[in-house]
Amino acid sequence: MGTSIGENRLYDTLCRVLDSLRAEAPASNAIYNPRPCTPEALILARSRALLHLFLKARFGIVRFAERERFVTDGRFDGGVDAYYIDQKNKFIYILQSKFRATAANFVGKKMDPYDLLKMDVSRILKGENCHENGDPYNEKITKGLQRDIRKLTDVASYTNQVVLLGNSKHFTNAQLKRLVEGFKVEQFPHDRTYHELLLPVINGTYFTDPNLTIEINLANLKRDTHLEYEVKASTLKTNTKLLFVPTREIGRIMHVYKNTILKFNPRSFLELKHNPVNQEIETSIRNTRGNEFALFNNGITIVAESTSISTNTAKQGTAQIILRNPQLVNGAQTAYTLARIYEDCVSSKNFEVFRGKEVLMRVINFLGPVKPQNQDARIRLMGEISKASNSQTKVEESDRRSNDPVQIRIQTEFFEKYGLYYERKRGEFADGLHHGYLLPDQLINRERLVRVSLACSYDVSQLRSGISKFFDEARLASLLKTKDLSKYAYGYEVLQGLDKKRKSKPRTKGDRYYTSQFGQALRYGQYAVVAVCANRGPAKGKKESQALEAALKQWTAFEAWAEAQPSNSAYKSGASFDYVGYYKGATIKGDLQKYSFIF
């Protein structure tokens, strides 16, 4: 269950995303660009943008005009706000959206039964062109939804599903069935909207089609399309296929899937751009006419739930491979570079640079059905394959640890409870920052979180040295505890308050660290302040900002007290006191716990 501050953050972030989607509409479109000071019009515009968010996050429809084609909301819409026909999975989705003006209402206000009774789903799907009262349906219904359904040659094989973007869980299944005329219903209350629509757009994992299709060139093959080998790993059986695939296909896949296909890779899509290897890979593609790339490059490794290969494509010299729920665990740098080249080719409409160039692909897939009892084992093995595959390239240990279970749990809870985004791997939320979906202070840096967690245990003396040693698997699991997450969130907020204080202009010119007011709190004692606030503030019911102000006011008194303690005599030299050594020393932990800070 989220906190009130977390729910406010999530709602504000959702509004920024919806406003960004609205901004994609032409400036002349008054529906998405209502006049200032018209709150009701803004709510309607955001409610409509919520439909766009669903279409983008669920079906990967990136362009505004393509999404808007499916929006039917308006006068005489038959209670249908939007639709989508998924021809691959045989579903016809009928949508209704309800957005609310405040975070509390978005979480707590329920959909009205009348909203659902207005949905003429049955009449519309049967081809009626008007409401039972005689009002004709608008053209988005008659020339959009109904026409698209008539074009389906196998419409009888489709499942009709109503999607409710709003809080409708107060209805029983029987009530919903009566309200929407017996159709299947998929509900997106606030929590599911945040998890499955908002978060994927923020971190670039919104393209969710489980089946990835790759075309293979058969011209250079002498016999079979691939080499195949089976391996038993602990309780799991795996099958490995080796084959060469066109570099253009890898570029296309990475361009579309981005972070969706990198969940088990220690790198994220945008973080990959900082690697100097990119230039070497790009040169080996652009500056060669032959297929030397197949010899120069080590290839890529993908783990998938299942793989099927067929030469029966009715295209001479071409085979097809379909991967279900693929994850690229090695070779991300190669795939990223090919994606960037592919983007250039899309812009220029010239793909000549990829002609005849292939790359080795290793596909590992699991044998047997997916069962709840083996799902954890599969995820663990995928993580281990990723770590092993990347062991020969320079990857920070903190990146290698990014998919450890404790890291995933912490990221999930920070998001759900506090509306904060724990960056398990570098660049994971760069897309969200770039588009303005996230504010910088909503992002939690993993190294700083480890420091905060140490501070929450009063172990501030360990923070003056390097932090990388704490990303050892055993240390990390014992250091970061989900039961202490509220304390970490509190401490992190205090740390951000200290950062803002350091950046503000001091009262005394030249007093960069406010030494005259707060002693060494902002220079050497930042995490000591965090330790005091995180351990004492919540118990007294103080907000983070209140605890910080109280601690800083008492800090010079605390340091005077510490100087007078016999246990700290080693830090004294005449009238001076070695604060650098003190905040790194063995006595600071006990002093912070002993001193009577008042909150």
Side-chain angles (χ1 to χ4, degrees), residues 19 30 93 135 154 186 191 200 245 257 329 368 404 430 495 500:
D19 289 345
Y93 293 96
D135 289 336
D154 56 345
E186 188 173 11
D191 51 351
V245 300
Y257 278 73
V329 296
D404 285 359
L495 183 61
K500 291 175 183 176

Side-chain angles (χ1 to χ4, degrees), residues 324-335:
R324 182 161 184 82
N325 290 325
Q327 285 296 310
L328 195 155
V329 296
N330 184 247
Q333 207 68 58
T334 295

Side-chain angles (χ1 to χ4, degrees), residues 191-235:
D191 51 351
R192 192 176 178 194
T193 296
Y194 289 145
H195 261 289
E196 297 183 29
L197 305 183
L198 176 66
L199 186 58
V201 168
I202 287 172
N203 64 10
T205 59
Y206 56 81
F207 195 86
T208 56
D209 187 342
N211 296 315
L212 184 155
T213 302
I214 300 173
E215 289 196 344
I216 310 168
N217 180 11
L218 301 178
N220 296 327
L221 295 175
K222 300 303 180 185
R223 293 183 182 175
D224 295 331
T225 57
H226 62 282
L227 177 68
E228 196 161 343
Y229 186 71
E230 289 190 3
V231 175
K232 184 174 182 181
S234 186
T235 59

Side-chain angles (χ1 to χ4, degrees), residues 267-473:
R267 295 184 172 96
S268 60
F269 183 76
L270 290 177
E271 188 266 330
L272 293 164
K273 69 181 178 182
H274 300 296
N275 198 309
V277 174
N278 292 355
Q279 188 60 48
E280 297 177 21
I281 297 172
E282 185 168 355
T283 299
S284 63
I285 283 283
R286 292 191 183 278
N287 294 356
T288 58
R289 288 180 174 271
N291 193 15
E292 292 92 338
F293 191 80
L295 303 175
F296 297 161
N297 193 274
N298 290 332
I300 63 174
T301 300
I302 289 178
V303 178
E305 285 184 9
S306 62
T307 307
S308 58
I309 299 177
S310 175
T311 56
N312 300 322
T313 62
K315 292 173 69 175
Q316 191 172 12
T318 301
Q320 190 178 82
I321 178 169
I322 296 178
L323 309 174
R324 182 161 184 82
N325 290 325
Q327 285 296 310
L328 195 155
V329 296
N330 184 247
Q333 207 68 58
T334 295
Y336 171 85
T337 306
L338 295 175
R340 286 305 192 210
I341 297 172
Y342 183 86
E343 287 177 10
D344 292 343
C345 293
V346 170
S347 299
S348 64
K349 298 181 180 179
N350 183 351
F351 294 88
E352 189 63 28
V353 67
F354 287 118
R355 182 185 291 274
K357 295 166 188 175
E358 298 183 318
V359 63
L360 178 65
M361 183 170 77
R362 179 173 64 143
V363 181
I364 302 170
N365 48 264
F366 299 103
L367 300 178
V370 179
K371 298 178 181 178
Q373 59 265 36
N374 66 23
Q375 187 63 19
D376 286 346
R378 288 187 175 207
I379 292 173
R380 187 164 51 252
L381 182 59
M382 287 174 72
E384 289 170 356
I385 292 170
S386 176
K387 289 173 188 174
S389 299
N390 288 282
S391 63
Q392 295 180 352
T393 57
K394 187 177 180 181
V395 179
E396 297 292 336
E397 189 61 25
S398 50
D399 283 324
R400 294 190 197 282
R401 300 264 78 84
S402 63
N403 287 305
D404 285 359
V406 66
Q407 299 259 54
I408 295 171
R409 286 198 303 272
I410 284 174
Q411 185 181 66
T412 300
E413 292 204 27
F414 262 124
F415 176 76
E416 291 178 348
K417 292 183 177 179
Y418 303 101
L420 297 172
Y421 301 81
Y422 174 52
E423 194 178 45
R424 291 188 288 116
K425 47 188 175 181
R426 284 174 296 172
E428 189 175 6
F429 298 106
D431 222 26
L433 288 171
H434 173 73
H435 291 292
Y437 302 153
L438 295 184
L439 302 177
D441 61 4
Q442 288 180 273
L443 207 63
I444 294 183
N445 175 275
R446 61 193 178 192
E447 284 81 10
R448 280 164 68 88
L449 180 66
V450 167
R451 292 179 186 275
V452 167
S453 69
L454 287 165
C456 287
S457 301
Y458 286 104
D459 292 317
V460 297
S461 61
Q462 299 187 52
L463 297 171
R464 303 296 295 179
S465 58
I467 205 73
S468 59
K469 62 180 179 289
F470 292 104
F471 281 92
D472 170 84
E473 185 173 10

Side-chain angles (χ1 to χ4, degrees), residues 39 60 160 559:
N160 299 308
E559 289 185 339

